[in-house]
Amino acid sequence: MTDPDARQGRDGRGNGRSVANPLREGLRLERMPEPCTMVICGATGDLTERKLAPALYNLMLGGFLPPEFTVVGFARRDLDADAFRQHLRESIDKYSRNKPAKESVWESFAKGIEYHQGNLDDPQAYVELAKRLERIDRDRGTAGNRLFYLAVPPKLYPEIVEQLGEAGLAVHRGHDGGKQGWVRVIVEKPFGYDLASARALNRELREVFSEDQIYRIDHYLGKETVQNLAVFRFGNGIFEPIWNRRYIDSVQITVAETVGVEGRGEFYDQTGAMRDIVQNHGLQLLATFAMDPPVEFRAQDLRDEKVKVLRAVKPVGYNQVEDQTVRGQYVSGWVEGAKVPSYRDEPDVAPDSETATYVALKLAIDSWRWAGVPIYVRTGKALTTRVTEIAVQFKRAPLALFARAGNPVIEPNVLAMRIQPDEGILLRFGAKVPGQGLNIRTVNMDFRYGSSFAVDSPDAYETLLLDAMIGDASLFTRDDEVERAWEIIDQVLQAWANGEGGPLHFYSAGTWGPPAADELLERDGREWRRP
Ligand code: BG6
């Protein structure tokens, strides 16, 4: 059971209708997937409404989907196809980056929308689904190509995957006189709850699907700026030579959010910032920042390099948790002019919850490139600013030449790669203040996506859905990658669960987090950026 398309990467070889000439890649038509049906399991949930429906509509609007493309919403709720279409239409009008929906585009999209009512644990529902998909193949020419999207809570993954297998829906289908249609499954995060459960989940998935059929989503990898990080590093000659311990002093990865738990109290209270952000988005940013150049820019090579660097990241040991991590939880405060309640007062959160809504940690990479360069990672909810960035602090000039002229010591150079918002790249360096004398001030050299490119970036889900349909797994996480990411933080989670590894610090909503996080860096003679 292999998926030949999935093993081919962004090089365009064999990716659906893509062509071999890399210079032509990126042309709209070359990125058009084969006709296929996407089955959304759990189609009436929040994810479909906020992300999937708008993403599919925008792909349709951009001309990236073939006319045969069909969506089947599979869920328990008693809806008919028209009601489901209406639900998608409303989601698009509310959440799409291009809204409201354009009638002509919506009409052709709507023709390919169906609803399959059934319980996700009922075998008969899958038997019926199989019949429906065969009928769609005949009527709409979707050629046996199927993409299953598990938009459900993770505890349901094993059941759904098993049922898909039992109903014969996990194997590639023969059609058109023997040509094989492909079958792929997209799994949402969180992928597991800890290392043991992630391993178990991988095993369960692989009992039914082969690894190259499984697309594990980390939507950060679909963000334009994260993809640009690879282009910035490997498409330019001047950065790679200094991307190492000889020139870099330390790195700060920040995923700061102003939002609280947004009505997801029940989920979040069992998850916390370490599982919700650090294990996936945080470590993916780290891997993309720190990996060695891949042999080729394609799924296997990229993921091999990411796994290699993650293997070099030292897992935080149980006894180091107190020294290397800080956990916090917000109490009431003001964020962007609005009053935010304490985390413990949020709906569906335990009144004595110990869940961390803020995490800061210090990681080390044991490799020739990175030995001795601390990587500080922080993330938090209800902070003062929404910003995701990777900031590289370079070593100081070896000689403080200008300090002698009475200038303060020049700040070290910083290269900040801004993932969101105000996407761009900023370099800070010292410059002479015009005039007599030799005064020096730090200035910014600032590249901004918004001003350099007039086009709107696609949402991460647009990129990722299209890639999955094309069979390009470059921006999805592989089984070994996910497991390694859990390994790195597993002892931290265990220590915290045992009430060890340092106290839970409280911070007011609308601040930069607990002061203990500042102390984590101060101990090393450094400080957090305040972007
Ligand atoms: C999700 C987390 O994966 O990422 C959320 O579950 C978080 O808690 C979100 O808010 C952040 O994503 P973005 O794209 O808004 O930075």
Side-chain angles (χ1 to χ4, degrees), residues 76 120-121 126 150-163 187-193 197-198 200-201 204-205 266-267 270-271:
R76 192 181 43 194
L120 292 163
D121 59 358
Y126 291 81
L150 307 192
V152 294
K155 60 176 191 280
L156 301 180
Y157 296 163
E159 169 83 47
I160 294 176
V161 165
E162 195 188 324
Q163 297 279 4
V187 189
E188 258 296 329
K189 72 172 271 273
F191 195 86
Y193 185 74
S197 59
L201 184 54
E204 281 159 346
L205 282 171
E266 192 187 339
F267 160 79
Q270 293 165 23
T271 309

Side-chain angles (χ1 to χ4, degrees), residues 51 188-189 219-220 223 255 257 259-260 262 264 267-268 276-277 280-281 381 386 388 420:
K51 295 291 180 187
E188 258 296 329
K189 72 172 271 273
H219 78 279
Y220 265 57
K223 290 185 189 274
V255 182
E257 297 188 273
V259 292
E262 294 184 296
R264 297 192 304 158
F267 160 79
Y268 195 86
D276 190 41
I277 299 282
N280 36 78
H281 309 327
K381 297 266 187 209
R386 173 175 179 250
T388 298
Q420 64 186 25

Side-chain angles (χ1 to χ4, degrees), residues 178-462:
K179 183 181 174 292
Q180 294 295 298
W182 48 258
V183 178
R184 298 176 193 137
V185 60
I186 300 187
V187 189
E188 258 296 329
K189 72 172 271 273
F191 195 86
Y193 185 74
D194 53 15
L195 178 59
S197 59
R199 281 188 179 143
L201 184 54
N202 271 333
R203 265 198 310 277
E204 281 159 346
L205 282 171
R206 282 191 312 246
E207 273 170 24
V208 177
F209 293 98
S210 58
E211 177 59 27
D212 55 13
Q213 288 179 291
I214 304 170
Y215 287 66
R216 295 175 194 77
I217 276 216
D218 182 315
H219 78 279
Y220 265 57
L221 293 178
K223 290 185 189 274
E224 281 288 311
T225 32
V226 177
Q227 294 174 65
N228 189 43
L229 184 54
V231 174
F232 179 71
R233 291 188 55 201
F234 307 132
N236 295 293
I238 61 170
F239 302 110
E240 245 352 72
I242 56 168
W243 218 250
N244 57 54
R245 62 191 302 274
R246 290 179 62 196
Y247 299 94
I248 294 181
D249 166 80
S250 58
V251 180
Q252 294 185 15
I253 298 178
T254 301
V255 182
E257 297 188 273
T258 47
V259 292
V261 290
E262 294 184 296
R264 297 192 304 158
E266 192 187 339
F267 160 79
Y268 195 86
D269 208 32
Q270 293 165 23
T271 309
M274 190 67 124
R275 292 187 175 90
D276 190 41
I277 299 282
V278 178
Q279 187 273 340
N280 36 78
H281 309 327
L283 291 177
Q284 283 299 324
L285 290 177
L286 182 152
T288 312
F289 163 81
M291 70 181 181
D292 284 340
V295 178
E296 275 189 74
F297 204 63
R298 57 179 195 150
Q300 182 176 333
D301 296 325
L302 277 167
R303 301 196 295 181
D304 284 351
E305 291 304 336
K306 282 202 281 157
V307 172
K308 195 173 92 190
V309 75
L310 288 174
R311 283 182 54 208
V313 175
K314 273 204 263 187
V316 181
Y318 199 92
N319 294 327
Q320 285 128 29
V321 176
E322 187 152 3
D323 288 341
Q324 281 181 235
T325 71
V326 169
R327 58 184 162 136
Q329 190 187 80
Y330 64 85
V331 294
S332 68
W334 292 84
V335 179
E336 293 168 337
K339 181 95 178 135
V340 172
S342 291
Y343 174 71
R344 289 179 177 179
D345 294 333
E346 296 273 15
D348 304 321
V349 167
D352 56 353
S353 170
E354 290 280 304
T355 299
T357 59
Y358 177 98
V359 170
L361 74 162
K362 175 180 170 181
L363 293 171
I365 308 180
D366 264 350
S367 69
W368 276 63
R369 189 196 275 262
W370 295 117
V373 180
I375 316 274
Y376 303 101
V377 182
R378 65 177 160 169
T379 184
K381 297 266 187 209
L383 297 180
T384 179
T385 302
R386 173 175 179 250
V387 59
T388 298
E389 67 162 32
I390 304 175
V392 182
Q393 179 165 321
F394 289 93
K395 293 190 170 166
R396 287 178 193 280
L399 196 64
L401 198 57
F402 302 107
R404 291 179 204 151
N407 274 306
V409 179
I410 303 173
E411 278 181 38
N413 298 117
V414 171
L415 182 75
M417 287 153 284
R418 176 68 69 89
I419 309 296
Q420 64 186 25
D422 303 328
E423 292 81 354
I425 295 171
L426 175 132
L427 179 68
R428 283 172 72 72
F429 57 90
K432 180 181 174 303
V433 179
Q436 304 305 330
L438 230 174
N439 293 321
I440 294 174
R441 208 169 67 203
T442 301
V443 294
N444 292 336
M445 201 153 87
D446 206 351
F447 151 72
R448 281 169 192 257
Y449 264 81
S451 39
S452 294
F453 299 103
V455 290
D456 203 12
S457 293
D459 182 76
Y461 277 86
E462 293 169 39

